[in-house]
Amino acid sequence: MDKAVEQSEGTAINVAEEVSPLDTPKAQEVIAYTLGTFAGVLTNEELMSLDNSLKAFILGESTRQTSVNRRISKFRTHDVYHFGWNIAKRLKIPNTMMAEFLKSQFPWQLADVEISTIAKKLSSDEGAFTLPKVEPRLPLQPYPLAKKLGIC
């Protein structure tokens, strides 16, 4: 009888391993939002790097690669915060973990901001920003950021 329990538990584990966290609807929504929102804002290399880093982050792997280490005209610190808030709320990621991810991916933009401050300000509406927060109960659609920033 113990072997039957072990076999059924082993089967359950194998089935669970086949479903990647990247294949969940929320992860797919976050990835599509990220790629669609930053299309035209980031170079193809930066966008691919951010995509790879985001997927590694979702999988719980370390992200050593910086995606964007330059100034983007009219793209503000609060835009980075709101991007982080939008994806953190859907993936149920703590603010501090999201802040660390954002700081690793946008180091130029967040150079003068501590991780603890980023974590506190993810949902802040104070100051100027272009990228809006999207309530978690609403669909997370790609935002026309390039158009709103006047890049295209």
Side-chain angles (χ1 to χ4, degrees), residues 73-118:
S73 182
K74 301 177 190 168
F75 185 62
R76 298 175 175 95
T77 305
H78 275 73
D79 294 323
V80 178
Y81 297 160
H82 289 177
F83 165 67
W85 188 87
N86 287 339
I87 62 176
K89 292 304 158 204
R90 280 152 184 86
L91 298 174
K92 298 185 179 3
I93 293 170
N95 284 6
T96 301
M97 286 178 65
M98 180 51 61
E100 290 169 356
F101 174 76
L102 293 173
K103 183 111 174 160
S104 75
Q105 297 307 298
F106 298 91
W108 192 93
Q109 197 75 32
L110 301 173
D112 299 331
V113 189
E114 296 295 323
I115 288 174
S116 60
T117 303
I118 297 167

Side-chain angles (χ1 to χ4, degrees), residues 14-134:
N14 289 340
V15 170
E17 287 176 351
E18 289 175 21
V19 178
S20 169
L22 297 176
D23 294 333
T24 65
K26 285 296 178 193
Q28 289 294 310
E29 181 182 40
V30 162
I31 293 165
Y33 165 76
T34 300
L35 295 176
T37 297
F38 286 105
V41 176
L42 304 181
T43 66
N44 286 340
E45 293 80 16
E46 290 169 335
L47 197 57
M48 285 190 320
S49 176
L50 183 59
D51 181 43
N52 290 334
S53 293
L54 179 60
K55 288 175 180 173
F57 181 67
I58 291 169
L59 291 171
E61 299 170 358
S62 64
T63 52
R64 296 183 183 169
Q65 186 174 356
T66 295
S67 296
V68 185
N69 200 10
R70 64 179 174 96
R71 183 180 189 283
I72 299 169
S73 182
K74 301 177 190 168
F75 185 62
R76 298 175 175 95
T77 305
H78 275 73
D79 294 323
V80 178
Y81 297 160
H82 289 177
F83 165 67
W85 188 87
N86 287 339
I87 62 176
K89 292 304 158 204
R90 280 152 184 86
L91 298 174
K92 298 185 179 3
I93 293 170
N95 284 6
T96 301
M97 286 178 65
M98 180 51 61
E100 290 169 356
F101 174 76
L102 293 173
K103 183 111 174 160
S104 75
Q105 297 307 298
F106 298 91
W108 192 93
Q109 197 75 32
L110 301 173
D112 299 331
V113 189
E114 296 295 323
I115 288 174
S116 60
T117 303
I118 297 167
K120 288 178 199 163
K121 291 191 171 190
L122 289 181
S123 64
S124 174
D125 284 331
E126 295 175 16
F129 58 88
T130 303
L131 191 63
K133 289 186 316 187
V134 179

